[in-house]
Every structure is written in structure tokens, then in C-alpha cells.
Amino acid sequence: MEQQSKALARISSVETAAERTAGAAGGEDLAVLAPAAAAALNLLADAIRRGGADHDDIVQALKTAGVHEAFARVFDAASERVMDTADDPYDFDERLRADNLAGAAGDVRRAFVWL
């Protein structure tokens, strides 16, 4: 008599989102990576809520990990992208968008100075 498996499923391979989107256009990469970054930050927030660390330990861990710099670099990159794709570098609307993004990067960095 043949023995049947009691397993519900069998994993034959693991594929990451980065592997799935390799070679895709930048917009498709962004569509995958932005939600992943948000999920990572939400996991970090959840870990902080559940942990027993005090304010100083949390802030120091975030600073040491460079969370603020990584987040600021996202805004910097977006600002650079806006200006790189602008048809006219002196277009007020395009410059305003880029300046707002660069300003957001600076605000993120300054927030950590005050903590």
C-alpha cells in the first residue's frame, strides 16, 4: 500500500521580490520596494511598542542604524530625479517640486538632531 503525504504544501523554491523584478523598469521596482520599505518601518514601530527600551535607547538605536539618513536619501533621490527629468531646469513648478522634496530630506535630518 502506497503511503500518502500528510503535508498540506511543499515549498520547492523561494523567490524574493527583487528577483522577480530584476531587469524591470524603475517604476515597477519602486512599486515593489516602496511598500516593502513601509512594511519594514511598520515592523520597526511594532518592535519598539512591544520592547522595553526607553526613549534614549530607541533614539540611539535609530541613529546608529542610520534610519533618518536612509529616509532622507529617499527624498534626496526623488528631488534629483525630478530635476533630471525636467525639460526646463528653470521651470518654476518642477523646481518647486524638487525643492519641496529636498526640504523634506532636510526636515528628516533636523528631526534627529533635536532628539
Side-chain angles (χ1 to χ4, degrees), residues 63-87:
K63 284 182 176 182
T64 300
V67 171
H68 61 297
E69 235 352 275
F71 195 50
R73 278 194 302 270
V74 170
F75 287 119
D76 283 336
S79 174
E80 291 170 12
R81 181 71 179 151
V82 167
M83 289 310 297
D84 288 347
T85 60
D87 293 332

Side-chain angles (χ1 to χ4, degrees), residues 59 63 68-69 71-72 76 99-115:
V59 170
K63 284 182 176 182
H68 61 297
E69 235 352 275
F71 195 50
D76 283 336
D99 287 347
N100 285 339
L101 289 163
D107 288 346
V108 169
R109 289 181 178 103
R110 277 190 296 282
F112 273 77
V113 169
W114 290 103
L115 292 178

Side-chain angles (χ1 to χ4, degrees), residues 48-72:
I48 290 170
R49 282 188 198 99
R50 289 183 289 116
D54 66 5
H55 172 272
D56 293 335
D57 291 339
I58 293 169
V59 170
Q60 189 57 48
L62 293 173
K63 284 182 176 182
T64 300
V67 171
H68 61 297
E69 235 352 275
F71 195 50

